[in-house]
Amino acid sequence: MIEPMITAWKQERVARSATGDPGSCDLREVVNAIFYQNRTGCQWRYLPHDFPAWSAVFYCFGLWREDGLDQRIQELLRCQVRERARRLEDPSLVIIDTQSVRAAAGVPKTTTGLDANKKVSGRKRGLAVDVLGLIIGVVVLAASAHDNAAGTALLDQAAERCGMRLEKALVDQGLKDEVLIHGALLDIEVEVVRRNPEDQGKGFVPQPKRWIVEQVNGTLMLHRRLTREYDHRPDTSASRVYWASIANMARRLTTPAPTWRDTLRLAA
């Protein structure tokens, strides 16, 4: 599923790295190496030797990030997953949320900050997802940035990728009037989902629809490279979210859908 897009990219851009021509690498193994590092959280130099040279993998990763190939692959697979679920390619509803992630040692202070509300020093990762939990947009900012900055950027991404079909966005109480006004300018209704006063003191209570983005954040944490902010560049961190999403969707698409016979067998 991924090979045609990478082959097309290879035909358009053939570049040479310090260790040789990256076009001579097995690009499927390069993708496998990116998946492996994302999942295990190892450093570039600690990639197993049965993968291509770490410098070639790093070089291809950087090229694909700069060319936006990771986003195009993610968009292609997202459309396929939605079609498999018998839905239109683009959603009419997105759910937006932010998460503050601690930064590892060595991450530049110029790209990080302190989230005074959550007492987290690092970066703020914002996601826009549909009702199937598929990622529509990603933004990575310093943790000191207000949620409004992430919300407006995510609305712009969602409007660009979903077009006129996008009608509504659900956000939490941390987003203020600025996001609602920006959504109105984009012809998107922004609804703030507020907690039920009766749920006060009960800890985490799933909120209708809004729990989906929380579930996506939890799924991304299974990719150990995303549990902290290890990358110096915020766009590299965003690219890792796309690659984690690509790995999850590729697994969903290659796993056979259960038939009614399988359902009866499990029930028995």
Side-chain angles (χ1 to χ4, degrees):
M1 293 179 292
I2 298 174
E3 185 269 339
M5 298 196 70
I6 294 183
T7 301
W9 169 87
K10 181 179 177 180
Q11 294 173 350
E12 293 175 1
R13 179 170 184 174
V14 177
R16 293 185 177 274
S17 69
T19 58
D21 184 359
S24 64
C25 293
D26 184 347
L27 294 183
R28 178 176 183 128
E29 288 303 310
V30 172
V31 173
N32 288 339
I34 294 173
F35 285 163
Y36 178 89
Q37 191 200 33
N38 242 18
R39 190 75 176 187
T40 63
C42 71
Q43 298 178 11
W44 286 108
R45 294 176 184 270
Y46 290 165
L47 284 173
H49 296 298
D50 51 349
F51 289 128
W54 73 266
S55 54
V57 178
F58 176 77
Y59 186 66
C60 289
F61 176 85
L63 284 181
W64 294 343
R65 178 197 62 210
E66 297 298 328
D67 292 345
L69 182 63
D70 49 1
Q71 299 181 36
R72 295 199 297 274
I73 295 175
Q74 198 269 344
E75 283 291 294
L76 174 68
L77 297 187
R78 177 180 66 82
C79 294
Q80 293 184 18
V81 172
R82 287 186 59 86
E83 287 179 350
R84 185 175 182 180
R86 298 183 180 181
R87 293 176 178 266
L88 297 178
E89 289 186 356
D90 296 320
S92 60
L93 171 72
V94 297
I95 307 106
I96 292 175
D97 193 23
T98 60
Q99 178 187 35
S100 294
V101 184
R102 296 187 183 276
V107 177
K109 290 185 178 180
T110 55
T111 62
T112 61
L114 174 65
D115 186 335
N117 185 31
K118 299 179 181 178
K119 304 298 188 292
V120 173
S121 178
R123 290 190 181 134
K124 184 167 291 184
R125 183 185 301 151
L127 296 180
V129 305
D130 64 5
V131 294
L132 297 181
L134 305 178
I135 293 177
I136 306 297
V138 180
V139 62
V140 179
L141 305 170
S144 55
H146 197 278
D147 286 355
N148 285 341
T152 54
L154 289 170
L155 283 176
D156 287 335
Q157 292 186 19
E160 178 183 356
R161 294 169 187 174
C162 300
M164 298 298 295
R165 177 164 166 74
L166 182 59
E167 299 175 356
K168 191 173 184 178
L170 302 181
V171 301
D172 67 2
Q173 301 176 75
L175 300 179
K176 306 301 180 183
D177 292 342
E178 180 182 340
V179 178
L180 276 67
I181 295 172
H182 191 72
L185 295 175
L186 297 173
D187 291 331
I188 300 174
E189 178 188 355
V190 179
E191 178 183 340
V192 179
V193 180
R194 303 186 183 278
R195 289 187 177 183
N196 189 338
E198 298 178 358
D199 294 334
Q200 293 294 335
K202 295 183 179 180
F204 175 74
V205 178
Q207 298 170 327
K209 300 289 185 184
R210 278 262 306 129
W211 65 269
I212 297 174
V213 69
E214 304 289 352
Q215 183 187 52
V216 174
N217 279 324
T219 303
L220 291 178
M221 290 299 107
L222 297 176
H223 299 262
R224 294 180 64 88
R225 191 77 182 192
L226 297 176
T227 57
R228 277 182 180 266
E229 284 292 328
Y230 294 101
D231 297 295
H232 288 199
R233 296 175 47 166
D235 58 347
T236 298
S237 179
S239 179
R240 292 197 177 279
V241 176
Y242 287 123
W243 281 110
S245 175
I246 291 169
N248 292 339
M249 289 189 294
R251 189 179 303 111
R252 289 175 72 168
L253 288 169
T254 54
T255 301
T259 64
W260 63 271
R261 291 187 178 87
D262 297 328
T263 305
L264 292 177
R265 191 178 302 114
L266 290 175

